[in-house]
Amino acid sequence: MAGDRSPGVSSRQRFGLLLLAAAAAAAGLCGGVSAVKSPSCHEVRTAFQIRQIGPLKLVPDVPTAESDLQICQHRAPTCCTKKMEENYQTAVRRERTQNIQALNFELKYMIVGHITAFQEAFESLLRFAENHTTSLFETAYRAMAKEAAEPVKELFTDLSLYILGAETTVENAVLRFFDSLFPFVYSRLINPGIIDLSEEYTECLRLTRQDINPFGRYSKEVVTELSKSLWASRMLNQALNMGIEVINTTEHAAITKECSKALVKMQYCPHCQGLTLIRPCMGYCLNVMRGCLASVSELDTQWREYISTLEYLTNEMAGSHDLELALLGIRNSINEAILHAQLNGPQLSATVDKVCGQPQEREAKPSPDNIVQAKNVSETQALTMAHSANLNNKRSSLPLKASKNDKSRSLKKISREFISYMKRSRTFYASVAERLCDGDLVMRDSSTCWNGEDVVESYTSRVVSNGLKAQINNPELKVKGLDPLISHLIDKLHHFNQLDTEKTKLKLERWASRESGSGDGKSEAMESSGDCDDEDGCQGSGDRIHTTDVLKEKKAYSEDRNEPKPTVKKIDTTAATTTTKSSSKHDLAGNVGNLASISSLFIVTALAILWHCLS
């Protein structure tokens, strides 16, 4: 029995020894594998390369005990160096600018696109109105059509420059046009016997126009109507450019050292521990971004006011201050102004002769090319006035807008879409931090996140709100004050919004005073022609006579002027003015008498018929 147990015991011992040997071999194998998978910075190098942070030689192969780190300080060995931290700060500045640009892209695209659309619509409308105005002279005033082409072109060029923000005014543009137009009206229509005017005499006529006001109230009416509509268009163009300036400034706003360090700590310090896939906690990200964008968020109040200004100007331009109607009305107003000058031709000539002397005249009668026959002009101008009235009543028939198949070209449609989008961006600068943290920057579906020091389940520090004042309690970075560049932009935006409001009030008061004062004697006195008053036979701005009578009177006066006259200036024209006054009063009295006789006969006949019916 004893001999039988001995081999069994020996067998168990051998089996135990084999197990110990296998365990030792397994332990040795595990140790070898562990030695192969020693700590490495391979993932950090890969992220460093993909994000183009800097040269790969800056990243160590294995973690080291780096002691001079300023931002990502850890007790354990790290994959970061001081040079890497410097490159990380450069990277976060670049990435921050790119992220802001990405947020601004749609807003900037809309504003730039709207500026282009508005300018194209303005230019198209101005060209149409210019051609429409030029056709007036080609059809009704052929004698001066060639000379009037340049003043008309200059007028619409000045109006275009005004809309685009040039340092000029509508009043200067319109009055300069009428200054240039008066010499041609005077020499081609009022006194067609005058030969080509000298530069000195033409300049005298221009300066005289400002004093004698040959075009009556119509020149001022053009200024008033255009100022209302073009002012809104000009201010809207300036507002759009202001929006682009705001966007560009915020994109390139400087980043403080505190902000760049906080961004590195939030985005790249986990890499130093080999945690390249971990993301910041949401609350942590909001604190960092709200601290970095504290100055930008201060734009919120003025940006909201700016959106309201855009909405107001868009409605004004497309509403009561309709740009189309104002520009198309220039033609009719110029026609009325020329007719007014022809009505007061004799008085204007007398006043001009006092100031500028007598120009050289033709010895022969005026040629048919320089004077239009009364009947033809009468019919042409009558058709012109009727056509102008039809344009005002049926302006929708004018091809100013694109067809229904090309709705993208509609100025009002573009305006509605634009202002609708801009309303949605009213809170844009109050939510920039939230937008930046709302993308791939933070962890959302993970149970862990980075809090600036370690991987945690949730961020426990206080989350501050937007605004510069709220950053006093920001646990992640210190905000010293408002960025000077952003401060200047806020002041500029505030000034624009206030200037817009003040201009609106002033213009509304001015227009109201003009309309309320149009019936008193002051406006009529300003519209009188030179030194001539009612007692001298001048007709008021509201008087109208047929165009044929105007031209007959003009022709008779021009024939009288063809007689030889002294070369010195006229000193006294009282006799001629008195004769004209008496003749006008005599004709007027005869017309009134005829009208009274006809009216009396009509009344007697009506009473007789009524009496016959009753009996």
Side-chain angles (χ1 to χ4, degrees):
M1 296 283 297
D4 294 336
R5 292 192 191 103
S6 178
V9 171
S10 177
S11 175
R12 292 192 188 94
Q13 290 176 348
R14 287 197 298 271
F15 181 76
L17 291 173
L18 289 173
L19 289 177
L20 289 174
L29 181 62
C30 291
V33 173
S34 176
V36 173
K37 292 189 176 180
S38 60
S40 172
C41 297
H42 175 71
E43 290 81 4
V44 180
R45 291 172 62 88
T46 302
F48 204 82
Q49 182 179 18
I50 291 175
R51 299 196 181 192
Q52 298 180 351
I53 296 173
L56 288 178
K57 64 182 181 180
L58 298 179
V59 184
D61 294 329
V62 295
T64 60
E66 187 72 22
S67 59
D68 58 349
L69 294 177
Q70 301 295 321
I71 303 173
C72 304
Q73 298 176 352
H74 303 287
R75 296 179 182 178
T78 177
C79 287
C80 292
T81 63
K82 186 176 180 179
K83 283 289 186 181
M84 289 176 64
E85 281 189 338
E86 294 174 358
N87 281 265
Y88 280 142
Q89 291 190 63
T90 302
V92 294
R93 290 190 180 97
R94 181 181 68 248
E95 292 169 358
R96 186 259 192 186
T97 301
Q98 293 173 347
N99 291 334
I100 296 294
Q101 289 176 343
L103 286 181
N104 287 343
F105 176 77
E106 186 178 2
L107 180 62
K108 189 175 183 178
Y109 177 81
M110 285 294 296
I111 296 179
V112 171
H114 203 56
I115 290 176
T116 303
F118 261 99
Q119 290 178 352
E120 290 178 352
F122 289 150
E123 291 175 3
S124 177
L125 184 56
L126 285 169
R127 285 196 302 268
F128 185 89
E130 180 181 348
N131 294 334
H132 186 57
T133 304
T134 301
S135 67
L136 169 67
F137 296 95
E138 295 174 349
T139 56
Y141 304 106
R142 296 179 183 176
M144 57 179 291
K146 184 177 180 180
E147 292 87 348
E150 188 63 25
V152 170
K153 182 179 180 180
E154 290 179 354
L155 170 63
F156 284 94
T157 299
D158 289 342
L159 296 181
S160 176
L161 292 174
Y162 172 79
I163 291 176
L164 296 178
E167 293 297 329
T168 184
T169 63
V170 174
E171 184 175 11
N172 288 339
V174 173
L175 296 184
R176 185 163 54 249
F177 164 76
F178 280 108
D179 288 345
S180 301
L181 185 66
F182 178 55
F184 305 129
V185 173
Y186 185 79
S187 62
R188 297 293 185 269
L189 300 179
I190 297 178
N191 296 295
I194 299 176
I195 64 174
D196 295 336
L197 301 177
S198 64
E199 293 183 3
E200 293 77 7
Y201 197 85
T202 300
E203 184 64 22
C204 182
L205 286 175
R206 287 179 182 146
L207 297 176
T208 303
R209 193 222 58 91
Q210 300 175 12
D211 298 325
I212 66 176
N213 192 19
F215 299 112
R217 71 175 188 272
Y218 298 104
S219 58
K220 294 181 180 179
E221 286 182 353
V222 174
V223 171
T224 302
E225 292 301 321
L226 287 179
S227 295
K228 293 178 181 179
S229 300
L230 295 183
W231 173 83
S233 302
R234 173 187 172 93
M235 293 300 295
L236 180 60
N237 187 70
Q238 291 182 3
L240 295 175
N241 288 312
M242 175 63 71
I244 295 297
E245 182 178 354
V246 171
I247 293 174
N248 290 336
T249 303
T250 56
E251 286 181 353
H252 299 92
I255 300 178
T256 63
K257 291 182 179 180
E258 291 77 9
C259 174
S260 63
K261 290 180 179 179
L263 289 174
V264 170
K265 186 177 181 180
M266 181 180 72
Q267 293 180 242
Y268 290 111
C269 281
H271 292 204
C272 297
Q273 300 182 28
L275 305 174
T276 57
L277 300 179
I278 198 70
R279 294 289 183 271
C281 302
M282 185 63 179
Y284 176 45
C285 179
L286 288 176
N287 276 340
V288 173
M289 289 301 179
R290 285 172 179 173
C292 288
L293 299 171
S295 295
V296 174
S297 64
E298 290 297 310
L299 284 165
D300 177 57
T301 301
Q302 292 305 319
W303 181 258
R304 291 172 185 265
E305 183 66 25
Y306 166 77
I307 299 300
S308 299
T309 300
L310 278 182
E311 184 179 5
Y312 166 77
L313 291 173
T314 302
N315 293 335
E316 283 296 300
M317 194 188 65
S320 58
H321 301 162
D322 193 284
L323 185 62
E324 290 181 8
L325 188 60
L327 290 175
L328 291 178
I330 294 177
R331 172 187 167 122
N332 187 57
S333 297
I334 293 175
N335 186 46
E336 293 288 342
I338 294 175
L339 289 176
H340 181 85
Q342 289 179 296
L343 282 171
N344 296 278
Q347 292 77 24
L348 293 174
S349 298
T351 305
V352 169
D353 285 346
K354 289 181 182 180
V355 178
C356 301
Q358 298 180 18
Q360 186 179 359
E361 300 180 359
R362 298 181 189 272
E363 295 180 358
K365 292 184 178 180
S367 63
D369 295 334
N370 293 330
I371 182 170
V372 186
Q373 296 298 326
K375 181 178 180 180
N376 293 337
V377 173
S378 170
E379 294 176 355
T380 303
Q381 292 181 341
L383 290 174
T384 300
M385 296 176 67
H387 182 58
S388 299
N390 187 48
L391 287 174
N392 290 332
N393 295 330
K394 298 181 178 180
R395 67 184 185 89
S396 60
S397 63
L398 293 170
L400 296 178
K401 300 177 183 177
S403 62
K404 293 182 178 179
N405 295 329
D406 189 15
K407 293 184 179 180
S408 61
R409 299 288 295 174
S410 171
L411 184 59
K412 291 185 178 180
K413 182 177 183 294
I414 294 174
S415 299
R416 284 194 298 267
E417 293 176 351
F418 171 71
I419 202 63
S420 176
Y421 176 82
M422 293 304 292
K423 284 181 180 179
R424 294 196 298 270
S425 69
R426 192 183 299 272
T427 60
F428 182 82
Y429 287 104
S431 59
V432 176
E434 288 78 358
R435 291 169 181 261
L436 290 176
C437 292
D438 196 37
D440 297 332
L441 189 60
V442 300
M443 281 288 194
R444 288 199 171 274
D445 300 329
S446 177
S447 59
T448 58
C449 58
W450 176 258
N451 70 348
E453 299 293 339
D454 204 350
V455 178
V456 296
E457 294 183 357
S458 63
Y459 183 70
T460 58
S461 299
R462 175 180 179 180
V463 179
V464 298
S465 59
N466 282 304
L468 193 62
K469 294 181 179 180
Q471 305 314 308
I472 298 176
N473 300 316
N474 195 322
E476 303 303 334
L477 75 160
K478 293 181 179 180
V479 180
K480 295 181 178 180
L482 188 62
D483 182 357
L485 190 62
I486 299 296
S487 177
H488 175 72
L489 183 63
I490 291 173
D491 292 340
K492 192 172 183 179
L493 196 58
H494 174 71
H495 177 70
F496 176 81
N497 291 330
Q498 292 299 115
L499 189 64
D500 171 65
T501 304
E502 292 174 3
K503 281 188 175 182
T504 302
K505 293 180 180 178
L506 289 174
K507 287 182 177 292
L508 289 176
E509 291 174 359
R510 186 183 306 168
W511 297 331
S513 63
R514 285 181 179 178
E515 293 176 358
S516 62
S518 60
D520 56 22
K522 294 182 181 179
S523 60
E524 294 180 1
M526 293 175 63
E527 294 170 4
S528 63
S529 299
D531 300 329
C532 183
D533 55 20
D534 292 339
E535 293 181 356
D536 293 330
C538 293
Q539 297 175 352
S541 60
D543 297 339
R544 293 288 183 273
I545 61 176
H546 197 271
T547 309
T548 304
D549 297 331
V550 174
L551 295 175
K552 285 180 180 179
E553 183 180 358
K554 176 193 71 175
K555 184 176 181 181
Y557 188 76
S558 65
E559 291 176 353
D560 293 338
R561 289 177 59 85
N562 287 333
E563 298 176 359
K565 295 183 180 180
T567 57
V568 296
K569 295 182 179 180
K570 287 187 179 181
I571 298 177
D572 186 10
T573 57
T574 307
T577 305
T578 306
T579 303
T580 304
K581 175 197 68 175
S582 302
S583 176
S584 300
K585 288 185 177 180
H586 179 72
D587 295 341
L588 182 61
N591 293 334
V592 172
N594 293 335
L595 291 174
S597 301
I598 294 173
S599 300
S600 300
L601 180 60
F602 176 78
I603 293 172
V604 171
T605 304
L607 290 174
I609 294 173
L610 181 62
W611 176 261
H612 177 72
C613 294
L614 293 175
S615 60

